[in-house]
Every structure is written in C-alpha cells, then in structure tokens.
Amino acid sequence: GAGVSQSPSNKVTEKGKDVELRCDPISGHTALYWYRQSLGQGLEFLIYFQGNSAPDKSGLPSDRFSAERTGGSVSTLTIQRTQQEDSAVYLCASSSRTGGAGEQYFGPGTRLTVT
Amino acid sequence: KQEVTQIPAALSVPEGENLVLNCSFTDSAIYNLQWFRQDPGKGLTSLLLIQSSQREQTSGRLNASLDKSSGRSTLYIAASQPGDSATYLCAVGGGSARQLTFGSGTQLTVLP
C-alpha cells in the first residue's frame, strides 16, 4: 500500500506569489494533519481535518494560510502573498483513528523557498 | 501549552553501544507519544507509538517507555549501528486536534 504522498517535492517562489501544496493521505485514513518544519521554529502543527467535520485551524500562523480537503481525501494547503519567513518544509500526515489518537504517518514533505 | 524537551541535543557513540534518548513534556494530559527518526532531507519515519495507558513499546532493537505522571519518555537503542545515525524526534499527541507537539530532536551519530 502507498504511503502519504506530497507534491511538489520542492517549490521556489517569489515573495508575494501564491502557492498550493498537495497531500494525498493513506487510503482510508480519516484524519489528516499539516505541519511545518523550519529552522527557527522546529516542527509545528498547522491544521487538522477529521472526516467531514470542520477543520481545526488553531495552528495556522496567519490568515494568508488556508487549507481544504476534498471528498475526505486529498488536501491542499494554500499560502497567499508568500513571505520569506514562510520558507520551510511543509509536512502532511494521516491517521486511521477517529480523533487522530492513532499513529500518524508522514509524507516526504514539500520544501518551500520564498525568494 | 505543551512543551517537549529532548536531551541530549546531539550524541555520538561507537558502534555496538546501547544508548538512551530522553524526552520530557510539561502537560501529562496526553493521548499518546510517538518516536520518529528523520534522515537528512527526508520526512519522518515512525518508530514507536505508546498510548497514554501503556508503559512501554518494543520493536526490534528499540524500546520506548512512558511515565506519564512524571512527564518522561525514553527511547532505548540496543547494539547501535552506523545505520541508526539520524535525528530522533519525540512527539506528544494531545490538544483539541490530538495534534503532535514535537521536541527539537536528538542528533545521533554512530561511529563505525
């Protein structure tokens, strides 16, 4: 079975541009998370989806960040008007247990560089 | 707010040694604790998951313990090998989304 996949693996964008990052979770996993790994902040939680429930957006750093999950599967993280401090590796994880109490499996990440 | 600390930040050992990595957390109201390894430029590989009701988990040469009341976990690696060289991350699951709060990691180097 395939693991969590993310695309693109690398993205270089100019400051002020919008970017979209994609995550394909493990088939059948109902919980999906986005995290960000940066040099200064380590690994930090961004947003959580569980089934068709409203997402938990408590970790999003600003209103330039948004995410959606279509059909309870694929998720897209969008960053509008990118800033240099948005440069980081964006990691997606999925889990099979309701409420995300189970083991989280991570994708390889998207390395975002804002120039 | 949950805070996770890992000690030491870096560790270098000769091949064959047994070693212990430490993790502490400030809020004992957790759902689970997960240990990961991360190789340079790669994603996270899950090593062990301990549910809040459990005391330890074992997988091969790895053993992880959890003492929720004292806010501590240890990862024991037996008979270390150069292939074990990586950064090891401890993450505590909790909060409204059961999200993981990560420590800053222990960078392990096993010398041949």
Side-chain angles (χ1 to χ4, degrees), chain A residues 33 35 37 43-45 48 56 58 91 97-109 111, chain B residues 31-32 34 36 38 41-49 51 89 96-103:
Chain A
Y33 299 80
Y35 294 86
Q37 186 172 31
L43 259 158
E44 52 184 350
F45 163 74
Y48 161 69
D56 184 321
S58 58
L91 294 163
R97 297 271 298 274
T98 299
E103 191 168 6
Q104 293 189 27
Y105 296 88
F106 281 75
R111 181 175 297 277
Chain B
Y31 290 95
N32 57 27
Q34 216 168 328
F36 296 89
Q38 185 172 33
K42 305 290 186 182
L44 305 180
T45 300
S46 179
L47 298 173
L48 289 164
L49 169 74
Q51 299 288 1
L89 292 159
S96 58
R98 283 43 163 188
Q99 69 269 24
L100 294 176
T101 301
F102 285 84

Side-chain angles (χ1 to χ4, degrees), chain B:
Chain B
K1 178 185 174 185
Q2 180 74 269
E3 293 182 0
V4 180
T5 303
Q6 290 188 247
I7 294 173
L11 181 62
S12 183
V13 300
E15 182 177 4
E17 272 205 8
N18 303 325
L19 58 100
V20 175
L21 306 181
N22 296 291
C23 172
S24 62
F25 47 94
T26 55
D27 186 349
S28 61
I30 67 170
Y31 290 95
N32 57 27
L33 185 146
Q34 216 168 328
W35 282 93
F36 296 89
R37 71 173 277 168
Q38 185 172 33
D39 295 282
K42 305 290 186 182
L44 305 180
T45 300
S46 179
L47 298 173
L48 289 164
L49 169 74
I50 310 178
Q51 299 288 1
S52 61
S53 58
Q54 297 175 321
R55 295 298 298 265
E56 67 176 337
Q57 282 287 333
T58 298
S59 176
R61 294 183 293 109
L62 305 179
N63 176 278
S65 68
L66 173 63
D67 185 339
K68 201 170 68 166
S69 61
S70 68
R72 294 179 181 180
S73 176
T74 61
L75 178 66
Y76 175 82
I77 302 177
S80 58
Q81 303 171 358
D84 295 332
S85 298
T87 296
Y88 289 80
L89 292 159
C90 168
V92 173
S96 58
R98 283 43 163 188
Q99 69 269 24
L100 294 176
T101 301
F102 285 84
S104 53
T106 294
Q107 186 173 357
L108 173 65
T109 302
V110 181
L111 303 170

Side-chain angles (χ1 to χ4, degrees), chain A residues 5-74:
Chain A
S5 61
Q6 294 186 243
S7 61
S9 55
N10 283 283
K11 176 72 176 178
V12 180
T13 190
E14 293 179 352
K15 177 181 172 181
K17 300 282 190 182
D18 298 351
V19 295
E20 286 189 352
L21 312 179
R22 177 188 168 104
C23 171
D24 278 277
I26 293 172
S27 178
H29 279 192
T30 58
L32 186 148
Y33 299 80
W34 284 97
Y35 294 86
R36 177 170 72 172
Q37 186 172 31
S38 56
L39 282 176
Q41 300 297 325
L43 259 158
E44 52 184 350
F45 163 74
L46 297 177
I47 189 169
Y48 161 69
F49 294 89
Q50 173 56 49
N52 295 319
S53 302
D56 184 321
K57 305 178 184 180
S58 58
L60 294 179
S62 80
D63 58 8
R64 296 186 294 104
F65 288 71
S66 63
E68 62 178 20
R69 189 179 184 190
T70 54
S73 181
V74 171

